[in-house]
Amino acid sequence: MSAVTWLAIAGGAVAPGLMAFGLFVWADAWTYSPLALNAFKCALGSSLFGLVVLIFYRRPMPERAVLWLAFSSLLGIVIADTLWLAALQILGARRMIAIDALKPFVAAFMGYFLLGDAVPWLGYLGVVVCALGVYLLNVESAEKKEADEDAVEADDVAVEEATEPPYLRGYAYATVNVVLDVYAATITVAERGPLSSAEVNLLRFGLAAVLLILVWVLREGRRKSDAKPMARRDWLRVALGVVFVTFLTPLITVWTMFVLPLAVAVTLWSLTPLWALPVSVYFGQKVSSRAGAGALLATGGVVMLAVAVT
């Protein structure tokens, strides 16, 4: 393989670590709605991409690419990311990371039917191994059950008014996010034309920011919020998380999609479970041995899939 390919693989492997760090940085800092967070992160992220494009790229963008990337933005950022943020608030960072580990399988499916990619038998074996790891990551530990019971006792009204288990709704949001996110990536690869990663991200996040801010103004802008006001420290934490999650990670991962096959690039995104363990320990969270084994199995399956499609 060429040096560029190796660089893409290395970058794709490091990028999930940046995302894991950003997730844990802002995990409990944002107190407003998922829609507001999505609008904020897209606005800040697109501003950073705009600065990069202003410095390094000054050229007209093909109309066809702009239209397709706008559609990709609607699916992958406006809709999928809003669901992702809603699921994150319900499930927590580690469960969301586990669901994100399913993306390579969806990418292998869409890559085969939409881009002509083929996955050998080793790739399907990797799917099985990774699925087992995801299952282990989602099994409740004794500590989490006790925490859930305490939460139920502390908020009887919310439990009585619930019409469905909150985790079930969270998993539904996360699953739809995975499908839409991978399909949006497929569109981006097929229709981006000569545009660079920074230009693609500027279009996608910039268009998403405009639409999300408009929707926020219409739905929530004039409505009094019951959320606890965020302190300056919390705003700084969220802004730092956005730099990692919405700027650095997409800048790297979108570029890897242009260099590597889609299934390989998306597979590398799913290395996040392994990165999440040291990050969670750094932030003082306990990691069970079951979760550790699940992360290792999931990552092992991802590696097998990556080997199979290269």
Side-chain angles (χ1 to χ4, degrees):
M1 291 186 290
S2 67
V4 174
T5 302
W6 279 112
L7 182 60
I9 293 176
V14 171
L18 301 178
M19 173 170 282
F21 181 80
L23 288 179
F24 281 97
V25 165
W26 86 30
D28 58 352
W30 187 264
T31 61
Y32 301 107
S33 69
L35 176 63
L37 176 55
N38 206 6
F40 174 77
K41 76 183 188 68
C42 286
L44 179 56
S46 61
S47 298
L48 295 174
F49 285 120
L51 182 62
V52 173
V53 171
L54 182 64
I55 295 174
F56 296 102
Y57 304 97
R58 293 185 181 182
R59 57 185 179 183
M61 300 183 181
E63 181 178 350
R64 175 184 173 87
V66 171
L67 293 176
W68 275 108
L69 290 173
F71 181 56
S72 172
S73 173
L74 175 64
L75 293 181
I77 300 178
V78 176
I79 300 176
D81 277 11
T82 299
L83 293 175
W84 182 83
L85 292 167
L88 178 63
Q89 289 187 342
I90 297 172
L91 301 177
R94 280 185 295 190
R95 285 186 176 82
M96 276 303 300
I97 288 168
I99 298 299
D100 280 347
L102 296 173
K103 288 182 180 179
F105 320 139
V106 180
F109 177 83
M110 291 189 180
Y112 178 81
F113 287 100
L114 301 180
L115 300 176
D117 294 337
V119 179
W121 66 269
L122 182 61
Y124 293 111
L125 181 60
V127 169
V128 175
V129 174
C130 195
L132 178 60
V134 171
Y135 170 77
L136 292 177
L137 280 166
N138 286 311
V139 171
E140 297 289 343
S141 64
E143 292 81 6
K144 184 65 183 74
K145 287 182 179 179
E146 293 175 358
D148 288 344
E149 291 173 357
D150 293 340
V152 170
E153 294 175 357
D155 196 357
D156 292 334
V157 175
V159 173
E160 291 175 358
E161 292 180 351
T163 58
E164 61 180 353
Y167 282 148
L168 183 62
R169 185 170 68 253
Y171 284 125
Y173 290 163
T175 302
V176 175
N177 159 259
V178 167
V179 175
L180 292 182
D181 198 24
V182 175
Y183 183 58
T186 304
I187 294 174
T188 301
V189 172
E191 303 294 343
R192 61 113 177 178
L195 300 182
S196 66
S197 174
E199 291 169 305
V200 167
N201 280 302
L202 172 61
L203 284 172
R204 296 183 74 238
F205 284 105
L207 293 170
V210 172
L211 183 57
L212 285 167
I213 291 173
L214 177 61
V215 173
W216 178 83
V217 170
L218 295 176
R219 289 187 55 186
E220 303 177 9
R222 299 181 180 179
R223 186 173 60 192
K224 184 178 180 180
S225 175
D226 297 327
K228 179 182 177 181
M230 291 171 55
R232 181 178 180 181
R233 176 182 175 85
D234 292 331
W235 281 106
L236 292 175
R237 286 179 57 191
V238 174
L240 178 61
V242 168
V243 171
F244 282 92
V245 173
T246 313
F247 175 65
L248 294 176
T249 299
L251 185 66
I252 296 172
T253 55
V254 169
W255 176 71
T256 62
M257 291 194 307
F258 302 158
V259 178
L260 304 171
L262 178 65
V264 177
V266 175
T267 295
L268 292 174
W269 302 352
S270 295
L271 290 175
T272 311
L274 187 60
W275 287 100
L277 295 182
V279 171
S280 61
V281 171
Y282 175 80
F283 282 96
Q285 297 187 14
K286 294 182 179 179
V287 178
S288 66
S289 58
R290 179 175 293 173
L296 290 175
L297 278 174
T299 303
V302 165
V303 171
M304 294 170 68
L305 183 60
V307 171
V309 298
T310 52

